[in-house]
Amino acid sequence: MNKGDKMLKDNRIRVIIGHYGSGKTEFSINYAIKLAKEEKNVALADLDVVNPYFRSREKHGLLKEHGVKVVSSYVKGSGSDLPAVSGDVLGPLQDKSCNVVLDVGGDSMGARTLGRYKDYFIEGEYDMFCVVNGNRIETQTLEGVINHITSIEGTTRARVTGLINNTHLLRATTVDQILKGQELCRRVSQATKIPIKYTAVVESLIHQLPENIEGTIMPIKMIMREAWM
């Protein structure tokens, strides 16, 4: 179990995918903030043009405070989202000094936004991580997770390079839930040869985890949900 040593040593472009309710955006924001503590040039691009709720661009101010540049489909002054992605995404992708986190829509339809950037997904220069919440109906089985990965890869023509165990029940999450997700991700990893890269855990549970947790531990602050949610 890695609780933080040499974290986030991934390829420069990090694509974060995951089904609705997986905690994909929460992970993306926490990841970007931690990355900004280690790197000077970090950008988070909100490419989710399907789901209007729990969007990473909603935390623009917080991310900016932590040194993360946010790019999204939101047009300042419009008061609304547009079903398109800002051309500003190209800047961070083209800047070899920039560490990019792409928060992508929750299914293969949402992932179509990645198609216009396929030229930047060169092996060895990007990672695509699949966030798995074993408590979601669509991804609570081996077959469900593999089908999700297959559909995303087919749409994006990019390869998933790592799994993220983010099995949770929001603030009711227990260690048993995390271990349930670990077993599911282990089975997916064995079937697909995709490694478990991270295990996302709310901070209060980290010290209760057993030593055999796979993947680097990613402490999660619940940024996207208010205390009453």
Side-chain angles (χ1 to χ4, degrees):
M1 176 171 61
N2 185 337
K3 291 190 176 181
D5 295 337
K6 298 181 180 179
M7 291 184 69
L8 310 181
K9 301 304 181 183
D10 304 314
N11 288 310
R12 182 179 72 85
I13 299 173
R14 291 97 158 165
V15 183
I16 313 296
I17 65 169
H19 228 297
Y20 299 117
S22 65
K24 166 186 62 67
T25 294
E26 195 77 84
F27 179 87
S28 297
I29 290 176
N30 277 269
Y31 184 106
I33 289 174
K34 184 163 184 62
L35 183 60
K37 294 178 181 179
E38 302 181 2
E39 303 288 347
K40 293 182 179 179
N41 191 357
V42 177
L44 172 62
D46 180 355
L47 299 189
D48 191 342
V49 296
V50 178
N51 181 18
Y53 306 106
F54 302 111
R55 298 280 300 279
S56 53
R57 63 94 174 157
E58 296 172 11
K59 301 301 178 180
H60 180 278
L62 175 66
L63 287 161
K64 184 177 180 180
E65 289 177 7
H66 285 276
V68 180
K69 177 183 178 181
V70 179
V71 180
S72 77
S73 59
Y74 184 72
V75 178
K76 291 182 179 179
S78 69
S80 63
D81 283 298
L82 300 177
V85 176
S86 169
D88 291 346
V89 175
L90 290 175
L93 288 175
Q94 293 171 349
D95 182 356
K96 297 291 187 178
S97 70
C98 184
N99 288 274
V100 187
V101 180
L102 303 180
D103 178 9
V104 184
D107 58 12
S108 58
M109 292 292 289
R112 287 184 180 178
T113 56
L114 282 177
R116 65 186 293 187
Y117 309 115
K118 65 180 185 302
D119 291 343
Y120 297 96
F121 302 143
I122 301 170
E123 186 172 357
E125 296 186 15
Y126 83 98
D127 278 300
M128 183 155 71
F129 299 139
C130 180
V131 178
V132 177
N133 180 356
N135 288 322
R136 297 297 298 177
I137 293 177
E138 300 89 346
T139 54
Q140 63 183 359
T141 65
L142 171 67
E143 294 76 14
V145 177
I146 291 177
N147 286 341
H148 178 59
I149 290 173
T150 301
S151 66
I152 294 290
E153 289 183 331
T155 300
T156 63
R157 297 184 181 180
R159 183 173 59 87
V160 171
T161 62
L163 302 173
I164 298 169
N165 174 20
N166 191 38
T167 300
H168 66 86
L169 291 170
L170 298 175
R171 290 182 174 83
T173 304
T174 64
V175 170
D176 286 343
Q177 293 295 325
I178 298 167
L179 297 180
K180 167 188 170 182
Q182 176 183 245
E183 179 57 28
L184 174 60
C185 286
R186 181 182 292 136
R187 292 171 59 210
V188 173
S189 180
Q190 290 173 345
T192 63
K193 308 305 179 186
I194 300 172
I196 300 174
K197 197 64 189 289
Y198 294 101
T199 292
V201 185
V202 291
E203 293 179 319
S204 61
L205 294 178
I206 288 178
H207 296 296
Q208 300 178 39
L209 295 175
E211 290 297 321
N212 65 345
I213 289 291
E214 294 186 41
T216 295
I217 299 299
M218 173 65 72
I220 296 292
K221 293 181 182 294
M222 295 188 69
I223 295 172
M224 291 304 299
R225 290 183 178 267
E226 306 296 338
W228 55 269
M229 299 180 75

